[in-house]
Amino acid sequence: MRTVLAKNQATVCLRLVELRGYAETVALEGVIYTARDAANLLSEALFLACKDGEIVTLEKVRVDMERLSLAVASVLVDELDSKIKRVSRLEGLVKSLRGEHEDLIKLMLTKQSIRQLFVASDLALAPPNQESVNWRSSLSALEDAARSLREMEAYLRKLADSPLGSYFAFPDELEFIECSRERLQKSFLRSECLRSLYRADGMLGQLLELNEDFDVDLAWDIVDELVHCSKMAESGSGCILEQAMALAKVGRLFHMGLKLSSRAQPYLLNAMKLAAAISEVDGTAFFSQAWYIDAKTSLESIREQKAAADKENYDKQREPTLLKLKPKLDALDKAIDPAGVASKVAKAFNLAKHICENLQGKNETSMAKFTTAVEDLPAQSSDDFNKMLRKALLKAAMVYHPDKNDDHGLEWKVLCEEVSKRINNATCDLKGFC
């Protein structure tokens, strides 16, 4: 009889807490007070049902306790904007329950606190503006979550050793604890990575303030911090963004500060690849974020510098080769326009005929197609002559294209470059005649 009475009284309090307009009538304090009464009454009913072996009632009370914890969390979400204030209210409610048989409801309320703390941590790490990540708030919330998780484990141990342990196995709570441990580990790691990035940014600020002398030792300290952050992020899942940011900042410092472009490029490339992978998975765009813009700018600058250096080096190697090829190129130009008065069509025909007879291409198949096209040209008076000549020269372009002749030595490649220039000019001249 006492069990039924406690259960019925608890049900009344529970329904009041679940009632959407109740908080507007009695304010938040009134809801918390009613929830405390419901928790006390449900705990009493649970104890009595356990004592009398009423298994059906035990299960009903447990369900009601779960409903109560969810209802309290829902009211707090509606009434309080701050996640931390919600947690404070939940913890206050738990502390106010001082009976001997209230571990189960404390367990469920603590579970709701942990959920709110994870939400607070996630929001601190993922604000609308990525540059304003608050790792301090995240770490604080995670430390509170870890403490609450230990309390939840303590409640579970006490329940397992109590008479209730013979009725309930608590599989959902055990799974929640296991998942929360994994989540804590990942979130702690991400927060630590962000703290490391914050430290590196602080040192970078000091470095930029040194207008007169560039502090190389400080620069290398920043590199060490960022590399440590990158390795830390790589060691756990869910920290790809932090790894990308660390790599991008290392590459940027190598490029702009230490002037070591060759060391900067691998870091920048890896940062871009990670950013692309993130975008492919969840659609995140980084085009407006400073770290991404800086990394992309540095990478493009390094590529331009390398291309310029490669061209300069190639031009130096090319000059003596051009001198060596001068007789052959002069002969080609002489053959194209022997008297200096040939028409564009005549020049194009003379070019095709000369290279076909005197400059045998290395690709036998392509060369055979070009030779056949030249041999099959109709009479110059034919309406199709210009069109067929242009097609023959396009086949010649495939034979002497420099990118297709890298494997036959510098002299042959330079010759192909010069021949290709003349072929391209001739095909352009023929456009107006086709």
Side-chain angles (χ1 to χ4, degrees):
M1 189 67 182
R2 288 174 58 195
T3 305
V4 175
L5 180 61
K7 174 73 168 60
N8 290 342
Q9 290 175 330
T11 300
V12 172
C13 295
L14 171 59
R15 288 179 179 174
L16 284 173
V17 176
E18 290 178 327
L19 194 63
R20 300 298 294 179
Y22 185 59
E24 298 176 5
T25 305
V26 299
L28 183 57
E29 290 297 337
V31 177
I32 297 296
Y33 185 84
T34 305
R36 184 167 62 245
D37 287 345
N40 287 328
L41 289 166
L42 285 171
S43 296
E44 182 183 352
L46 189 74
F47 168 72
L48 295 171
C50 181
K51 183 178 179 182
D52 297 336
E54 298 176 15
I55 299 176
V56 175
T57 303
L58 279 171
E59 189 57 42
K60 288 181 179 179
V61 172
R62 177 177 176 171
V63 171
D64 284 348
M65 285 184 170
E66 187 70 35
R67 284 173 54 194
L68 177 62
S69 67
L70 291 170
V72 171
S74 178
V75 170
L76 291 174
V77 168
D78 291 340
E79 297 295 320
L80 298 174
D81 293 332
S82 169
K83 311 294 182 297
I84 302 303
K85 287 182 179 179
R86 295 173 195 169
V87 172
S88 178
R89 289 286 189 169
L90 284 166
E91 291 179 345
L93 179 56
V94 170
K95 289 177 181 178
S96 69
L97 302 175
R98 294 171 180 162
E100 298 180 5
H101 313 292
E102 294 170 337
D103 288 331
L104 184 55
I105 187 62
K106 287 181 178 180
L107 174 78
M108 293 178 177
L109 290 169
T110 302
K111 184 177 178 180
Q112 297 301 325
S113 292
I114 293 171
R115 284 175 172 161
Q116 289 296 318
L117 287 164
F118 278 137
V119 172
S121 171
D122 290 344
L123 288 175
L125 294 181
N129 177 7
Q130 184 65 38
E131 305 296 331
S132 61
V133 167
N134 192 338
W135 57 266
R136 285 192 179 90
S137 295
S138 174
L139 278 177
S140 177
L142 291 173
E143 287 166 358
D144 288 342
R147 174 181 50 77
S148 295
L149 195 61
R150 289 192 295 271
E151 292 173 357
M152 189 175 174
E153 291 173 326
Y155 293 140
L156 263 182
R157 286 193 296 271
K158 288 176 68 177
L159 287 167
D161 294 336
S162 72
L164 281 175
S166 59
Y167 295 102
F168 300 132
F170 306 105
D172 293 342
E173 285 72 17
L174 290 170
E175 183 181 358
F176 176 83
I177 288 173
E178 188 62 31
C179 292
S180 295
R181 283 176 182 155
E182 294 179 6
R183 188 170 178 180
L184 273 173
Q185 185 178 7
K186 292 178 182 178
S187 298
F188 266 125
L189 179 62
R190 188 168 176 225
S191 295
E192 288 294 340
C193 288
L194 289 167
R195 177 158 63 179
S196 181
L197 283 171
Y198 178 83
R199 281 198 298 262
D201 285 342
M203 289 189 287
L204 189 58
Q206 296 176 22
L207 186 66
L208 295 175
E209 289 175 0
L210 301 174
N211 297 323
E212 297 181 359
D213 298 320
F214 183 81
D215 191 336
V216 176
D217 290 336
L218 179 57
W220 281 107
D221 287 342
I222 298 171
V223 169
D224 290 341
E225 182 69 40
L226 289 169
V227 170
H228 168 70
C229 176
S230 171
K231 290 180 178 178
M232 186 165 52
E234 189 178 10
S235 68
S237 59
C239 298
I240 300 178
L241 174 58
E242 290 69 33
Q243 184 183 2
M245 292 173 68
L247 292 172
K249 290 174 186 288
V250 174
R252 180 75 170 171
L253 184 55
F254 270 132
H255 176 228
M256 299 299 294
L258 295 167
K259 308 299 181 185
L260 297 172
S261 296
S262 60
R263 295 193 64 175
Q265 190 171 22
Y267 287 102
L268 294 169
L269 282 172
N270 285 335
M272 293 294 101
K273 289 178 182 177
L274 289 173
I278 296 170
S279 297
E280 187 175 343
V281 171
D282 60 18
T284 303
F286 302 103
F287 303 113
S288 62
Q289 295 188 17
W291 69 268
Y292 184 87
I293 295 170
D294 289 344
K296 187 177 179 183
T297 302
S298 284
L299 193 56
E300 289 173 351
S301 175
I302 290 170
R303 286 170 173 166
E304 289 171 0
Q305 291 171 5
K306 187 175 186 304
D310 290 345
K311 184 178 184 305
E312 184 180 355
N313 184 48
Y314 179 67
D315 288 344
K316 288 180 181 178
Q317 296 177 0
R318 196 173 182 273
E319 286 178 9
T321 306
L322 270 176
L323 288 174
K324 185 177 179 181
L325 289 171
K326 190 175 186 303
K328 192 176 288 189
L329 294 173
D330 288 345
L332 174 61
D333 291 334
K334 184 70 175 175
I336 292 173
D337 191 2
V341 294
S343 67
K344 290 181 179 180
V345 175
K347 288 179 182 179
F349 175 70
N350 292 338
L351 170 65
K353 186 177 178 182
H354 181 85
I355 60 179
C356 182
E357 294 174 353
N358 298 281
L359 301 174
Q360 187 68 27
K362 303 298 183 182
N363 187 312
E364 294 180 2
T365 303
S366 297
M367 188 64 197
K369 290 180 180 178
F370 167 54
T371 302
T372 301
V374 173
E375 291 172 351
D376 292 345
L377 284 173
Q380 293 190 35
S381 59
S382 170
D383 293 338
D384 292 333
F385 177 77
N386 293 342
K387 183 178 179 181
M388 298 300 291
L389 176 57
R390 188 167 185 273
K391 286 184 176 180
L393 285 172
L394 290 175
K395 287 182 169 59
M398 296 297 292
V399 176
Y400 299 101
H401 195 289
D403 291 346
K404 297 180 180 293
N405 289 275
D406 279 329
D407 301 330
H408 305 291
L410 180 63
E411 184 175 330
W412 176 253
K413 183 174 181 179
V414 172
L415 178 61
C416 286
E417 288 173 351
E418 295 300 316
V419 172
S420 290
K421 288 178 186 177
R422 291 158 176 78
I423 291 172
N424 291 336
N425 289 335
T427 53
C428 288
D429 289 340
L430 287 173
K431 277 185 180 179
F433 295 94
C434 299

